[in-house]
Amino acid sequence: MANRTDPAAKSIRGTNPQNLVEKIVRSKIYQNTYWKEQCFGLTAETLVDKAMELDHLGGTFGGNRKPTPFMCLVMKMLQIQPEKDIVVEFIKNDDYKYVRVLGAFYLRLTGTDIDIYRYLEPLYNDYRKLRQKSGDGRFILTHVDEVIDELLTKDYSCDIALPRIKKRWNLETVGALEPRKSVLEDDFEEEEEKEENDQLDDGLEDGAYERDYHHGRSPTRERDRDRRRDSYRYRDRDYDRDYDRDRGRGRERDRDRDRDRDRERDRDRNRYRLRDDREYGRERDRDREREGRDRERRDRDRGRRRSRSRSRSRSRDRKRHARSSMSPRRDRDEPEDVGTRAEPKKKKEKKEKKDDGTDHPDPEIAEANRIRASLGLKPLKL
Amino acid sequence: MGKSKQETKMIEVVLNDRLGKKVRVKCNEDDTIGDLKKLVAAQTGTRADKIRIQKWYNIYKDHITLKDYEIHDGMGLELYYS
């Protein structure tokens, strides 16, 4: 009886709001002491007090999957269904960061797509530290904007499956949302101009880049590219994220084709394609050639693999859509090839053995090895 | 087809959740239970961290290898969810 949803509550996404949390986790919450003692008979006002006492967020932890108080409060909010104004107040309040994250989480579960983007994106500018309880019971350091990023991009957080929301780009094309404007946009434009000037001046990076390209040593090029990508990425997380979002928006060229894909990888790919874009004219020809070579290589790969529908279609799509696509998932194949080949010897090397066993004559074993390789395990010992 | 005698070999375990999901997984003896959970997750579509592998009342821990639990070829394990 204490676990019933408020009868006046609306159904969310077609179901009892408490069903947003899956059955097993829900049962764990109901059996939890915190829920039974502290969350009994909470109203919206008293819930605020409880939320202010929070000092960590997280999902379930420990061997028997004990839920955190954060999850219990999320469940309580689903049960009583506070008004949207109250939730927005939670999010807007600046003093208590856990209250903010609680409100953001609840909104992500129950709000409309437009509301979610509108209210959660300003929280990207909140850099405060948070304490997160991991699955094995230890605490991890994270930040408010990291959590918001997870909410907006991943589909699972704190042991609750987040409902699907439309991609931001879709909402923009419909006109329901403005294109994303970062608070740091002016700073980025300055930085970017400064960088362009620097790069043109000292052609050190570019020199190495061109030299490798002309010698056809694509491994080095990829490594260079990765290094450049990583150095940019970790310099300042927000810088990159916002920077890319804005720069990407300004460019017609490949933007459209990639926005459709619902993956975090989009951002990574965008990020370093945009790096390339800066060296505009040179890049275009280079990329076309590179893409031609990739296509060649991929076609050859495609012939060899058997049941690869997933990665095959992905590679085909990527080839069709992206200009210079070396996706992270393909890296699995790259390291093997990278060490051994130069352009002309490619064909011969390919036919020889791959050391993750995916070319085993028995299709079952080859398939099993493929799954193992994708999980990062060593191949089967036969 | 002769399997050469090595220290570790490939085994196939059967996991059954008694609700209709029965899964045969090929793995190495020196894989850990955590790896086995990932393989099962790949095959069944559930999440790896939601799976619990038991034998009667012994819940198998993630960091111990199959060989240490003396799980042999063809052995059946129970699949539960947490």
Side-chain angles (χ1 to χ4, degrees):
Chain A
M1 191 209 79
N3 294 334
R4 271 203 4 218
T5 318
D6 183 332
K10 327 194 283 312
S11 77
I12 303 225
R13 307 195 190 250
T15 174
N16 182 342
Q18 289 193 84
N19 289 351
L20 282 175
V21 180
E22 55 151 21
K23 185 77 171 67
I24 297 181
V25 179
R26 214 184 321 145
S27 324
K28 296 277 177 186
I29 294 182
Y30 292 157
Q31 293 158 7
N32 185 255
T33 322
Y34 184 83
W35 172 267
K36 289 183 184 166
E37 291 175 351
Q38 316 283 347
C39 296
F40 182 77
L42 277 189
T43 63
E45 296 85 34
T46 43
L47 186 102
V48 181
D49 302 328
K50 288 282 175 218
M52 292 196 306
E53 290 167 17
L54 275 177
D55 68 346
H56 64 275
L57 65 132
T60 56
F61 62 93
N64 52 350
R65 314 313 304 168
K66 185 159 181 265
T68 56
F70 181 81
M71 284 193 79
C72 297
L73 286 180
V74 171
M75 192 63 165
K76 198 69 196 177
M77 287 181 83
L78 285 172
Q79 195 180 33
I80 62 178
Q81 271 211 340
E83 304 280 319
K84 185 167 151 210
D85 324 333
I86 302 184
V87 181
V88 172
E89 269 314 304
F90 272 35
I91 297 178
K92 284 204 179 129
N93 110 94
D94 213 22
D95 308 319
Y96 297 95
K97 48 192 179 182
Y98 290 102
V99 175
R100 198 171 229 191
V101 175
L102 181 68
F105 200 89
Y106 179 78
L107 187 68
R108 174 64 175 86
L109 291 179
T110 59
T112 61
D113 300 358
I114 301 178
D115 282 341
I116 292 173
Y117 284 113
R118 191 186 305 150
Y119 290 114
L120 260 50
E121 274 184 356
L123 295 184
Y124 267 129
N125 296 323
D126 187 342
Y127 301 134
R128 288 180 288 188
K129 294 188 196 168
L130 291 175
R131 202 182 293 143
Q132 180 168 26
K133 197 147 194 163
S134 70
D136 50 9
R138 284 176 301 167
F139 285 108
I140 300 178
L141 174 69
T142 179
H143 300 80
V144 175
D145 53 349
E146 275 182 310
V147 174
I148 302 291
D149 195 38
E150 247 188 48
L151 290 182
L152 286 179
T153 50
K154 298 225 180 77
D155 59 357
Y156 201 80
S157 176
C158 290
D159 278 340
I160 298 178
L162 306 174
R164 297 269 166 86
I165 50 173
K166 296 196 192 64
K167 298 271 96 210
R168 197 176 207 294
W169 180 72
N170 291 336
L171 293 172
E172 280 172 29
T173 44
V174 173
L177 272 184
E178 302 285 312
R180 183 155 176 272
K181 197 169 175 12
S182 163
V183 168
L184 301 170
E185 192 172 312
D186 301 323
D187 293 347
F188 292 149
E189 310 244 322
E190 276 176 34
E191 278 281 348
E192 176 201 295
E193 283 168 14
K194 199 164 67 89
E195 270 179 28
E196 275 183 11
N197 294 335
D198 289 345
Q199 278 189 357
L200 288 176
D201 290 342
D202 71 18
L204 229 171
E205 271 185 84
D206 304 351
Y209 204 96
E210 278 187 343
R211 191 184 47 225
D212 287 341
Y213 172 76
H214 287 310
H215 287 184
R217 265 189 290 137
S218 33
T220 327
R221 176 164 47 82
E222 282 156 24
R223 251 178 275 134
D224 275 345
R225 205 186 312 141
D226 285 349
R227 213 180 310 132
R228 282 169 59 195
R229 167 163 53 122
D230 289 343
S231 73
Y232 282 117
R233 186 188 305 161
Y234 292 109
R235 194 183 351 143
D236 182 332
R237 232 172 353 94
D238 277 335
Y239 177 119
D240 285 340
R241 197 193 313 123
D242 295 333
Y243 171 46
D244 291 330
R245 287 240 173 98
D246 297 331
R247 298 282 295 153
R249 295 243 149 71
R251 302 291 181 95
E252 266 315 309
R253 228 177 317 121
D254 293 356
R255 186 179 30 121
D256 302 351
R257 285 178 254 152
D258 269 351
R259 288 298 155 169
D260 293 337
R261 240 160 298 142
D262 175 21
R263 261 166 244 161
E264 229 185 333
R265 222 161 266 127
D266 273 351
R267 278 186 291 124
D268 291 350
R269 216 183 302 123
N270 271 343
R271 193 174 294 133
Y272 83 96
R273 190 183 323 114
L274 293 167
R275 301 278 166 247
D276 294 342
D277 287 355
R278 233 184 290 124
E279 295 144 274
Y280 225 88
R282 276 175 283 151
E283 279 303 308
R284 217 179 287 150
D285 299 340
R286 205 182 296 166
D287 286 345
R288 241 175 251 129
E289 267 221 47
R290 199 189 305 156
E291 204 187 4
R293 245 183 311 135
D294 292 348
R295 205 174 290 134
E296 216 185 284
R297 204 181 327 137
R298 286 216 182 90
D299 283 338
R300 238 176 283 121
D301 282 354
R302 203 187 302 161
R304 290 195 325 129
R305 281 172 224 161
R306 252 162 297 231
S307 48
R308 284 299 172 112
S309 46
R310 251 188 314 146
S311 54
R312 200 186 309 161
S313 59
R314 202 182 300 125
S315 68
R316 220 185 296 130
D317 283 349
R318 209 171 288 126
K319 182 183 62 192
R320 222 185 291 131
H321 291 202
R323 275 191 333 151
S324 52
S325 52
M326 278 297 157
S327 103
R329 199 167 289 197
R330 301 280 299 181
D331 281 352
R332 165 169 61 86
D333 299 322
E334 296 309 332
E336 299 153 29
D337 305 331
V338 151
T340 56
R341 70 171 159 76
E343 284 293 271
K345 287 200 277 180
K346 244 196 315 194
K347 229 176 232 176
K348 207 188 302 175
E349 297 283 1
K350 281 267 168 231
K351 292 287 163 61
E352 292 175 24
K353 60 154 184 130
K354 291 182 80 165
D355 58 3
D356 66 354
T358 47
D359 55 351
H360 197 273
D362 184 352
E364 258 187 55
I365 299 196
E367 174 70 19
N369 278 333
R370 187 182 66 75
I371 295 178
R372 288 177 72 93
S374 72
L375 291 172
L377 299 172
K378 293 200 292 249
L380 290 171
K381 293 191 171 81
L382 298 162
Chain B
M1 169 176 95
K3 269 194 232 164
S4 61
K5 217 49 167 132
Q6 299 174 324
E7 276 95 39
T8 62
K9 42 195 214 321
M10 178 183 86
I11 58 177
E12 188 171 34
V13 285
V14 184
L15 291 103
N16 190 351
D17 78 341
R18 303 205 175 258
L19 293 170
K21 239 177 237 176
K22 194 161 177 181
V23 145
R24 300 177 76 89
V25 175
K26 282 189 177 36
C27 49
N28 288 331
E29 266 190 335
D30 59 355
D31 282 341
T32 62
I33 294 282
D35 300 337
L36 181 61
K37 285 186 184 178
K38 286 189 206 163
L39 290 168
V40 171
Q43 250 178 289
T44 61
T46 44
R47 291 177 64 91
D49 48 5
K50 297 229 165 287
I51 290 176
R52 207 169 70 205
I53 298 181
Q54 279 181 233
K55 184 90 182 157
W56 204 229
Y57 286 120
N58 300 315
I59 301 181
Y60 285 169
K61 295 200 166 47
D62 283 359
H63 55 278
I64 302 184
T65 62
L66 300 182
K67 190 162 185 211
D68 292 340
Y69 270 130
E70 299 198 358
I71 296 175
H72 303 300
D73 191 23
M75 199 153 141
L77 298 174
E78 291 152 36
L79 190 59
Y80 290 93
Y81 302 97
S82 55

